């Protein structure tokens, strides 16, 4: 018998997600370097802006190889920190490393497609979602925002990080990279996301730009009132 989540997942549109899973599964062991050089500054700033408090029930969507996930577990030793990623190898690596570094923390990471989150309504006190929307088709961004909104408690924040679009040269290079390997780079969407976030019912509380070398990031802190 199929579970409700499996039924929902089977109905999902067949988009670039299948290729993305294949590519990120094969990059699980080398991806930490990319996060270290390009994402770590934005991760740190997002955590500072997030209002996360120890003891919360926290979800990270699209953990990748788990660098932000470990920051969240470290900041939430008495709470529960849950992660999901489309790539089973990324999810397994994230869980293995986090459990070995934080053996006393309550944490879990699973292979899950963010377009159908396997959680009850209003489960989480805080959600993090970094550098995911670039990889989703437009309809899937809308589905994912609806899912995030559904599983957040009222009064909680979702903390998004996007690849910034404020640097012209970078944008041109990204267009080329995205055309060559769309399942890895996707395309830049940061300018379009605030309207979609509003349409899903959130209120954007903070909008902040960060640069790590030439790599721009945009942090959006969005509230479910
Ligand atoms: C660019 S990486 C970002 C990883 C990490 N969040 C970071 O900040 O470094 C994007 C991640 O999104 C995951 N992903 C892509 N599509 C997804 C989906 N539909 N559901 C869940 N995760 C997805 C990929 O497997 C990959 O690990």
């Amino acid at each position: 018998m199929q579970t409700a989540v499996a039924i929902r997942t089977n109905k999902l549109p067949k988009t670039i997600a299948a290729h993305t899973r294949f590519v990120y599964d094969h990059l699980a062991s080398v991806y930490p370097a990319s996060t270290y050089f390009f994402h770590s500054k934005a991760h740190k700033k997002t955590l500072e802006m997030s209002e996360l408090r120890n003891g919360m029930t926290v979800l990270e969507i699209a953990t990748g190889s788990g660098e932000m996930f470990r920051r969240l577990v470290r900041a939430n030793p008495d709470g529960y920190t849950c992660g999901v990623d489309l790539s089973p190898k990324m999810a397994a690596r994230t869980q293995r490393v986090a459990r070995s570094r934080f053996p006393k923390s309550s944490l879990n990471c699973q292979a899950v497609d963010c377009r159908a989150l396997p959680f009850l309504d209003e489960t989480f006190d805080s959600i993090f979602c970094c550098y995911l929307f670039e990889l989703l088709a437009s309809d899937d961004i809308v589905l994912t925002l609806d899912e995030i909104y559904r599983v957040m408690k009222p009064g909680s924040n979702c903390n998004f990080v996007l690849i910034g679009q404020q640097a012209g040269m970078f944008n041109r290079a990204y267009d080329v990279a995205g055309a060559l390997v769309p399942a890895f780079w996707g395309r830049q969407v940061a300018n379009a996301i605030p309207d979609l976030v509003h349409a899903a019912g959130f209120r954007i509380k903070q909008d902040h730009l960060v640069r790590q070398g030439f790599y721009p990031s945009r942090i959006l802190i969005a509230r479910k009132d």
Side-chain angles (χ1 to χ4, degrees):
M1 199 177 78
Q2 284 184 306
T3 65
V5 169
I7 292 165
R8 287 164 61 89
T9 307
N10 290 343
K11 284 188 182 160
L12 292 171
K14 299 230 176 306
T15 60
I16 196 167
H19 304 285
T20 305
R21 175 178 160 155
F22 176 84
V23 168
Y24 277 90
D25 241 6
H26 284 79
L27 289 174
S29 56
V30 292
Y31 197 75
S34 155
T35 303
Y36 177 79
F37 288 116
F38 303 130
H39 299 170
S40 53
K41 192 169 167 186
H43 284 167
K44 182 167 182 276
K45 185 68 189 169
T46 306
L47 182 53
E48 283 168 18
M49 293 169 65
S50 70
E51 299 174 14
L52 183 147
R53 290 186 309 280
N54 184 19
M56 284 182 160
T57 301
V58 176
L59 173 66
E60 186 187 4
I61 298 172
T63 59
S65 41
E67 289 70 24
M68 182 63 165
F69 188 74
R70 293 193 290 280
R71 286 181 196 270
L72 301 178
V73 176
R74 194 177 297 117
N76 190 31
D78 302 319
Y80 172 61
T81 310
C82 181
V84 296
D85 196 282
L86 182 66
S87 152
K89 287 194 181 158
M90 288 288 198
R93 180 193 167 91
T94 296
Q95 176 159 285
R96 188 179 66 248
V97 177
R99 285 202 171 153
S100 76
R101 296 211 190 151
F102 305 98
K104 294 193 176 145
S105 291
S106 177
L107 65 92
N108 188 39
C109 191
Q110 311 164 35
V112 162
D113 189 324
C114 61
R115 297 175 296 171
L117 294 173
F119 305 111
L120 294 173
D121 296 358
E122 301 185 2
T123 298
F124 294 98
D125 299 304
S126 185
I127 299 187
F128 292 78
C129 180
C130 308
Y131 308 105
L132 168 67
F133 290 145
E134 287 76 13
L135 297 171
L136 299 183
S138 302
D139 290 353
D140 292 341
I141 295 175
V142 173
L143 277 178
T144 301
L145 283 169
D146 286 348
E147 279 294 84
I148 292 173
Y149 192 86
R150 180 182 66 76
V151 302
M152 289 170 70
K153 289 183 187 167
S156 64
N157 288 345
C158 185
N159 310 286
F160 298 103
V161 186
L162 306 152
I163 297 174
Q165 286 185 276
Q166 67 267 35
M169 282 277 283
F170 180 87
N171 294 347
R172 284 190 285 283
Y174 206 95
D175 278 351
V176 174
L180 290 174
V181 197
F184 179 70
W185 295 103
R187 78 265 184 254
Q188 289 174 288
V189 293
N191 290 347
I193 294 297
D195 284 348
L196 297 176
V197 167
H198 280 299
F202 295 90
R203 175 169 59 85
I204 295 180
K205 284 180 62 188
Q206 293 190 70
D207 186 346
H208 185 78
L209 300 175
V210 172
R211 274 184 97 124
Q212 186 164 0
F214 62 84
Y215 193 95
S217 296
R218 181 172 182 182
I219 301 168
L220 295 178
I221 311 291
R223 185 93 163 171
K224 174 176 177 177
D225 286 319

